[in-house]
Amino acid sequence: MSANMSPIDKAKFVAAKRACDYVQDGMKLGLGTGSTAAWLVRCLGEMVRDNGLKIKGVPTSSRTAELARQVGIEVISLDEAKWLDLTIDGADEYDHDLNLIKGGGGALLQEKIVATASDQMIVITDGSKRVESLGNFPLPVEVIPFGWQTSKALIEEVLVGMDVLGTTASLRMNADAPYVTDEGNHILDLHLNRIGNARQLSLVLNQIPGVVENGLFIDICDIVVTGYGDGRVEVQDINNGEHDETRYDFLDDDNLFADLGD
């Protein structure tokens, strides 16, 4: 691996590389969305090309599907797969119980559907995403376009009674227009600063008319693989309580990931 990579890219790469150890021939995999998940897709593509790995991937976004096809991974729909052996994805935040905030890349709805249709979910991330309490990263909430301002007002009203430090929501934009998800919806980002009871908040948000889904992933993640810029990788398995650490050495040579940025 090139020594010219930035520390953050090294952290993402080693996390993705370590997560590949969980992938077995013949698996049906959920493929996440975001910069860290993109490293995973490239690593899996290398295994398909060089090692003859046979897998089928269910992408969580159109851009992940495009990348998977580019690197030679067979892409199928979740309806075709019916059920998945494993989903590997990134996260915007995770706490000590492996609860997550996801959706910074706008794919939270498909990500949650795919993750919950899997025997196991692994999150790959860097050390900056570990937090004592969720909420510093804005919580994405996907809403239908019709009446989104009403949905926003209802959400902000509900937040007043929740155990959070902030109660404002903002419409996510793409240049001068509202951001549109793969499902044709909008995203409201909730600026909460701290979430005291993530489980309660998730349940309450999903009861609001117009809300499709929120970015809190509670009791879904089984393993977090955390990479660091010096090549260290920590693995935390919530089911068996195991915590181990490995290290990758980087060589000064060319690699197929050199063109992959954030």
Side-chain angles (χ1 to χ4, degrees):
M1 195 63 195
S2 173
N4 295 323
M5 292 176 65
S6 69
I8 190 66
D9 280 340
K10 285 184 179 181
K12 293 175 180 181
F13 172 77
V14 296
K17 194 75 171 174
R18 178 67 177 85
C20 288
D21 293 342
Y22 292 90
V23 177
Q24 299 177 17
D25 203 55
M27 275 188 167
K28 291 180 286 186
L29 300 177
L31 303 175
T33 295
S35 60
T36 310
W39 287 103
L40 170 81
V41 174
R42 288 296 182 96
C43 288
L44 290 173
E46 184 180 36
M47 294 169 67
V48 168
R49 185 193 66 205
D50 297 343
N51 304 333
L53 178 70
K54 292 180 174 58
I55 55 173
K56 295 181 180 180
V58 174
T60 54
S61 68
S62 56
R63 58 188 181 276
T64 296
E66 181 180 1
L67 178 59
R69 292 189 181 100
Q70 286 176 2
V71 300
I73 297 173
E74 181 181 352
V75 172
I76 62 173
S77 70
L78 184 58
D79 288 336
E80 291 175 285
K82 295 184 174 60
W83 194 259
L84 303 174
D85 299 291
L86 175 65
T87 286
I88 306 177
D89 203 348
D92 298 303
E93 284 186 346
Y94 72 95
D95 65 16
H96 62 281
D97 292 321
L98 306 195
N99 293 318
L100 321 169
I101 286 183
K102 289 180 51 56
L108 67 98
L109 177 58
Q110 292 188 26
E111 288 173 338
K112 188 173 281 190
I113 292 172
V114 168
T116 54
S118 306
D119 286 337
Q120 192 174 50
M121 182 190 189
I122 296 176
V123 162
I124 50 176
T125 184
D126 62 87
S128 68
K129 307 299 175 60
R130 180 188 288 123
V131 295
E132 290 298 319
S133 175
L134 298 176
N136 187 58
F137 190 91
L139 174 64
V141 176
E142 188 159 338
V143 297
I144 65 170
F146 176 80
W148 72 264
Q149 293 189 57
T150 299
S151 298
K152 176 177 177 291
L154 289 171
I155 289 171
E156 291 180 327
E157 182 179 345
V158 162
L159 289 177
V160 174
M162 295 286 100
D163 185 7
V164 296
L165 293 182
T167 59
T168 60
S170 60
L171 179 67
R172 186 177 298 184
M173 303 295 290
N174 182 13
D176 296 329
Y179 177 86
V180 179
T181 70
D182 280 356
E183 301 301 318
N185 298 317
H186 295 331
I187 288 182
L188 297 174
D189 288 309
L190 311 189
H191 306 278
L192 308 176
N193 300 315
R194 184 190 64 82
I195 300 171
N197 189 331
R199 189 184 307 276
Q200 179 189 44
L201 179 61
S202 180
L203 291 171
V204 169
L205 287 173
N206 282 3
Q207 296 301 310
I208 297 174
V211 170
V212 181
E213 189 53 83
N214 70 82
L216 286 167
F217 284 52
I218 311 298
D219 298 333
I220 296 175
C221 175
D222 299 283
I223 297 171
V224 167
V225 181
T226 305
Y228 297 89
D230 61 1
R232 287 181 301 117
V233 184
E234 293 179 354
V235 177
Q236 181 182 351
D237 188 325
I238 195 72
N239 295 316
N240 59 26
E242 291 183 358
H243 190 112
D244 66 65
E245 181 175 313
T246 55
R247 187 184 184 95
Y248 290 89
D249 293 323
F250 294 97
L251 303 177
D252 225 351
D253 57 4
D254 294 331
N255 65 89
L256 70 94
F257 309 109
D259 62 342
L260 181 62
D262 287 338

